[in-house]
Amino acid sequence: WGWAFAAQWRCWTISNKYPALGVLLALSISAVGGDYSNLEEEDKVMSCAACGIAEDDDIELKTCTACKSVRYCSVTCQKEHRSKHKRACKKRAAELRDEILFKQPESSHLGDCPICCLPLPIDHTKSNMMPCCSKIICAGCEYANFVREQEAGLKHTCPFCRHPMAKSEEEANRTNVKRAESSNDPAAIHRMGARCYNEGDYESAFEYFYKAAGLGSVTGHYMLSTMYRNGPGGIKKDKKKELYHLEEASIGGHPTARNNLGCVEEENGRLDRAAKHWIIATKLGDDIALSSLGVRYTRGLVEKDDYASALRGHQAAVDATESPQRDEGEAYFKLGRDLIALGYGEKN
């Protein structure tokens, strides 16, 4: 209010001294309805929220990292203003977090196949991560590369980087370890964690997942959330950390993490937030989230328009991952897995 009064006072004094200019100012004020709220907000951003000093060449204001809505000239001013700002800061920080959390990702955490550039299916049996370059290749491109090599009598190499493929699981593991140590690759580090987890070495797995998550691995965040929830191998359970890593994985486009986050919200009685998470996961092509959403729709907990939109989004996500080449590759590799399961041939 004080800022608006000061502006009006200046306009009055100018009008008395320069009548013609006063008319223009009056027209300008009437055009915006005399609303100075935007000016007040700008004034807050351009000055220290505690002492009111304005930013200039000698004074650089620092923005509050939590709410992004106020600035301070020093740490001292920030500490002094903390008691007055705490409630508004916490509220605005939560709003900003939700804006990021409930934004629909363009694709899943897997992204696109680097060869055909089509979105990768979230079904892990339809793609394969190369231990040499950590690239995830769809079944269609891997099959096309295999056919090309067979027809030309070439050695089996990675479809992406052309590195000779490992002849055994042990060799693939050594290649993965070498890449993780030499290039600090989050995907390779996560794969080492997954191997430790499957072998029951949960302490080492936790360390690998934590490092991978710190380097930007979405699946690293997801695995940390499961370990904080279940507490395997003496890992201390922590609901707060579980929720944090679920949110980070969900923001990164992990559909299973998003579905689990919906279940957590439902457990806490926040059904509106749970439905939003399931809708987002469904639009990423997740079948489990689609089933969860369908059950809640039949109970009247989800609006018809929201459910219909999620169904359309699910179908569009699935269609985007399909191609004739992928159909051939998926059928070929499925046949191979079935034969191995029946005892025909050996698993490489």
Side-chain angles (χ1 to χ4, degrees):
W1 180 85
W3 209 99
F5 179 79
Q8 290 176 336
W9 176 260
R10 292 191 191 101
C11 291
W12 182 79
T13 55
I14 291 172
S15 299
N16 284 338
K17 191 172 183 180
Y18 305 104
L21 184 57
V23 173
L24 292 176
L25 286 170
L27 291 173
S28 299
I29 292 172
S30 64
V32 297
D35 183 6
Y36 293 93
S37 59
N38 292 334
L39 294 176
E40 291 177 359
E41 290 302 320
E42 289 181 9
D43 189 47
K44 291 178 183 177
V45 175
M46 296 304 294
S47 62
C48 177
C51 67
I53 190 171
E55 184 176 42
D56 57 26
D57 293 339
D58 299 324
I59 300 175
E60 182 181 358
L61 301 179
K62 301 293 185 181
T63 304
C64 176
T65 56
C67 68
K68 317 292 184 187
S69 60
V70 296
R71 304 173 76 189
Y72 298 99
C73 64
S74 65
V75 176
T76 302
C77 276
Q78 186 174 11
K79 289 181 178 179
E80 291 178 354
H81 192 248
R82 179 61 180 165
S83 59
K84 299 179 181 179
H85 177 57
K86 185 176 181 180
R87 178 178 293 182
C89 181
K90 187 176 181 179
K91 180 181 178 182
R92 182 55 184 158
E95 291 172 352
L96 291 174
R97 179 67 172 178
D98 279 354
E99 288 178 10
I100 298 172
L101 182 60
F102 289 110
K103 183 179 180 181
Q104 180 71 43
E106 294 182 0
S107 63
S108 76
H109 65 294
L110 297 173
D112 300 338
C113 172
I115 298 177
C116 66
C117 297
L118 292 177
L120 287 164
I122 59 177
D123 182 351
H124 293 285
T125 65
K126 298 181 178 181
S127 62
N128 190 22
M129 191 184 90
M130 302 293 113
C132 47
C133 59
S134 296
K135 298 296 182 182
I136 302 178
I137 309 299
C138 73
C141 291
E142 188 174 4
Y143 175 68
N145 181 62
F146 173 75
V147 172
R148 179 188 63 84
E149 291 170 342
Q150 290 294 308
E151 292 177 348
L154 302 174
K155 292 183 178 180
H156 192 28
T157 60
C158 171
F160 183 80
C161 69
R162 301 306 183 195
H163 187 279
M165 291 294 288
K167 297 180 180 179
S168 64
E169 187 172 351
E170 290 74 15
E171 184 180 348
N173 289 336
R174 288 196 299 270
T175 302
N176 184 77
V177 170
K178 183 178 180 181
R179 179 169 179 81
E181 293 176 346
S182 61
S183 61
N184 227 19
D185 182 4
I189 294 172
H190 175 268
R191 189 165 182 169
M192 291 174 65
R195 188 168 69 251
C196 292
Y197 188 92
N198 293 332
E199 293 173 354
D201 185 0
Y202 298 114
E203 185 175 349
S204 296
F206 181 86
E207 292 177 0
Y208 282 125
F209 290 146
Y210 190 85
K211 184 177 181 181
L215 292 171
S217 172
V218 175
T219 47
H221 280 295
Y222 171 69
M223 289 305 300
L224 284 175
S225 74
T226 62
M227 297 191 79
Y228 278 124
R229 181 179 182 85
N230 301 323
I235 302 297
K236 186 177 179 180
K237 295 182 180 181
D238 192 315
K239 288 290 184 181
K240 187 175 181 179
K241 291 182 179 180
E242 175 204 350
L243 183 61
Y244 168 76
H245 288 291
L246 271 181
E247 288 184 351
E248 288 298 305
S250 299
I251 292 170
H254 199 293
T256 306
R258 179 73 70 172
N259 181 64
N260 291 355
L261 191 54
C263 295
V264 171
E265 293 288 10
E266 186 181 41
E267 290 174 1
N268 294 331
R270 299 190 286 191
L271 299 179
D272 56 334
R273 294 174 66 89
K276 289 181 181 179
H277 288 305
W278 289 324
I279 289 172
I280 292 173
T282 298
K283 289 183 177 180
L284 290 174
D286 187 69
D287 293 335
I288 298 177
L290 176 60
S291 177
S292 298
L293 197 63
V295 171
R296 276 69 183 184
Y297 170 69
T298 58
R299 296 176 182 173
L301 302 176
V302 177
E303 297 291 335
K304 181 179 180 181
D305 291 343
D306 291 336
Y307 184 55
S309 175
L311 285 174
R312 291 192 296 270
H314 180 273
Q315 190 60 53
V318 172
D319 291 344
T321 65
E322 296 179 347
S323 73
Q325 180 173 279
R326 286 186 174 183
D327 291 340
E328 292 182 21
E330 289 164 10
Y332 175 81
F333 291 120
K334 184 179 183 303
L335 176 61
R337 290 192 299 271
D338 292 343
L339 290 175
I340 291 173
L342 293 171
Y344 297 97
E346 296 181 357
K347 183 179 179 181
N348 292 327

